Amino acid sequence: MKVLVIGGGAREHALCRSLSLDPEVTALHCAPGNAGTAEVAESHPVDALDGAAVARLATELGAELVVVGPEAPLVAGVADAVRDAGIPCFGPSKEAAELEGSKAFAKDVMAAANVPTARSYVCTTPQQIDDALDAFGPPYVVKDDGLAAGKGVVVTGDLAVARAHGLACGRVVIEEFLDGPEVSLFAITDGETVLPLQPAQDFKRALDGDEGPNTGGMGAYSPLPWADPKLVEEVLETVLQPTVDELRRRGTPFAGLLYAGLAITGRGVRVIEFNARFGDPETQVVLARLKTPLAGVLLAAAEGNLAAHPPLAWRDDAAVTVVVASHNYPDTPRTGDPIEGLDEVAAQDGPDAYVLHAGTRREGSATDAGTVVSAGGRVLSVTATGKDLTQARERAYTALGRIRLAGSQHRTDIARAAADAQEG
């Protein structure tokens, strides 16, 4: 199978890494990719938001499966363009991707499907914003209705901060605060059959102790030793399957990766948000534990044959990933700094620990190895597996300690509490 992955972050590197280990994959391409994906896949320049360009590239490469990684191309209809060219594509249609593209649309779908979620108001005027903030009180949860690269949500006890964010968004969803730990649960679906993956937990705040501003994610781990063993089954029955069924009923079937961000509250599971693609950085740890070859299950979903696919197999190992971010992230990051130590990780820590590239590029001519430099806010995801979370995080942080990037930042407490609880 010839596979083309669209995107250039750590999620796409994780996808490419798993696909490169699949014996069914005979050729692997990534567009536009990054310095890390280039080590396992052939890179191609492309505007990931241009459906015609992506479809043309897939046709030229003879791709038999296209996997669209990021949300923006999905909301732009790239998967539709690829399918229109007669090529199987893993990723929802433009209409179905509105589940992530619009918080208001997602709330409407959840209401129709009787999916448990936070009470909310959709606001478009300053008066509506003030009324909604007053109705719920602190802590305030204010969400940009559209795509915001994981940074469109403000959770704050400061009314002025909440109001300012709401006014800056134009159209905004304001909702009740959901207490309790958060869980990310992915599911692969062909629009009818829903195949849940293993749950993970990510860390949104920039600093240790869940302090600092919201980010796209600073680390993740899986499995969740503290979670109810029946959690996945419950979420499949009350959230994932009803949502997929409702979208099919509306004539906009969702085929691809459905991501449910969940809060485990005192009143039960509640949906915080839906995404229409693999999450970053949770993908890094979920795929590290997946034993089933990846290409076949993605193709089955793309072709509508998921019901016939065997159950997924999982490794018993735990996985932890820690994000290395640029100086000043999540504000405007500094880029262009050399990254050193990548070869040391590969030589001393593999295969139990490895580096997945996000915002990187390789500087230098085609005839020399060049230098890998930072090219974005989140630069690397240092990922490791182990017999339990303690070993996995020890391996991840040992590998991270070999990496040198001027001004970089990372959290030191990824999976610490869960590992301590697992040991205790």
Side-chain angles (χ1 to χ4, degrees), residues 18-373:
S18 290
L19 290 165
S20 72
L21 298 173
D22 187 335
E24 295 298 313
V25 176
T26 54
L28 183 58
H29 304 269
C30 189
N34 59 40
T37 62
E39 296 175 2
V40 293
E42 185 177 345
S43 300
H44 304 271
V46 77
D47 178 356
L49 297 176
D50 186 336
V54 171
R56 189 162 53 248
L57 174 63
T59 301
E60 291 171 357
L61 295 174
E64 293 157 290
L65 173 66
V66 174
V67 180
V68 181
E71 61 272 26
L74 292 167
V75 173
V78 168
D80 302 270
V82 172
R83 279 189 283 268
D84 288 346
I87 301 170
C89 184
F90 183 80
S93 67
K94 178 179 181 177
E95 288 182 310
E98 277 298 286
L99 200 63
E100 177 170 2
S102 168
K103 304 289 191 301
F105 175 76
K107 288 290 188 181
D108 185 64
V109 170
M110 283 187 272
N114 199 30
V115 168
T117 186
R119 293 180 297 119
S120 64
Y121 295 103
V122 180
C123 306
T124 56
T125 69
Q127 186 60 54
Q128 289 175 340
I129 290 171
D130 290 341
D131 290 345
L133 292 171
D134 182 60
F136 288 128
Y140 305 102
V141 181
V142 186
K143 299 182 176 182
D144 191 334
D145 181 54
L147 294 180
K151 290 174 282 186
V153 180
V154 164
V155 181
T156 179
D158 189 322
L159 179 59
V161 171
R163 189 173 190 273
H165 183 66
L167 292 172
C169 290
R171 191 181 192 207
V172 65
V173 174
I174 296 174
E175 63 185 41
E176 67 174 329
F177 176 75
L178 297 174
D179 65 319
E182 296 184 11
V183 174
S184 299
L185 185 61
F186 301 163
I188 294 170
T189 178
D190 58 6
E192 290 192 36
T193 301
V194 180
L195 203 59
L197 306 186
Q198 289 291 302
Q201 186 175 64
D202 77 331
F203 295 76
K204 288 293 187 190
R205 298 287 185 169
L207 307 176
D208 283 7
D210 291 328
E211 298 290 334
N214 224 33
T215 73
M218 295 298 291
Y221 70 92
S222 179
L224 312 182
W226 49 267
D228 187 325
K230 296 181 179 178
L231 175 65
V232 173
E233 182 182 336
E234 178 188 346
V235 175
L236 175 61
E237 292 178 0
T238 63
V239 174
L240 299 171
Q241 193 69 58
T243 300
V244 169
D245 291 345
E246 172 62 18
L247 287 166
R248 187 174 69 253
R249 187 191 67 77
R250 293 178 178 219
T252 55
F254 187 106
L257 195 290
L258 178 57
Y259 165 135
L262 308 165
I264 313 302
T265 77
R267 295 172 293 148
V269 175
R270 297 289 184 272
V271 175
I272 300 170
E273 65 176 353
F274 283 124
N275 289 337
R277 38 72 193 182
F278 280 103
D280 183 345
E282 299 98 320
T283 300
Q284 288 86 301
V285 292
V286 173
L287 292 186
R289 300 185 58 224
L290 180 64
K291 188 182 294 185
T292 299
L294 185 60
V297 67
L298 299 186
L299 182 64
E303 294 186 330
N305 300 322
L306 202 54
H309 194 278
L312 298 178
W314 296 93
R315 297 183 178 90
D316 292 332
D317 286 357
V320 172
T321 193
V322 184
V323 170
V324 178
S326 292
H327 175 73
N328 205 42
Y329 177 78
D331 293 325
T332 304
R334 189 175 79 199
T335 60
D337 290 311
I339 303 169
E340 300 177 331
L342 297 173
D343 291 343
E344 295 171 36
V345 174
Q348 299 184 52
D349 301 291
D352 297 318
Y354 48 89
V355 178
L356 298 169
H357 292 234
T360 68
R361 69 173 185 272
R362 190 175 291 277
E363 289 189 340
S365 68
T367 56
D368 66 40
T371 302
V372 176
V373 302

Side-chain angles (χ1 to χ4, degrees), residues 380-398:
L380 305 168
S381 286
V382 183
T383 306
T385 56
K387 68 178 187 295
D388 54 24
L389 288 172
T390 297
Q391 186 178 59
R393 72 184 305 273
E394 284 174 355
R395 287 172 171 172
Y397 280 107
T398 296

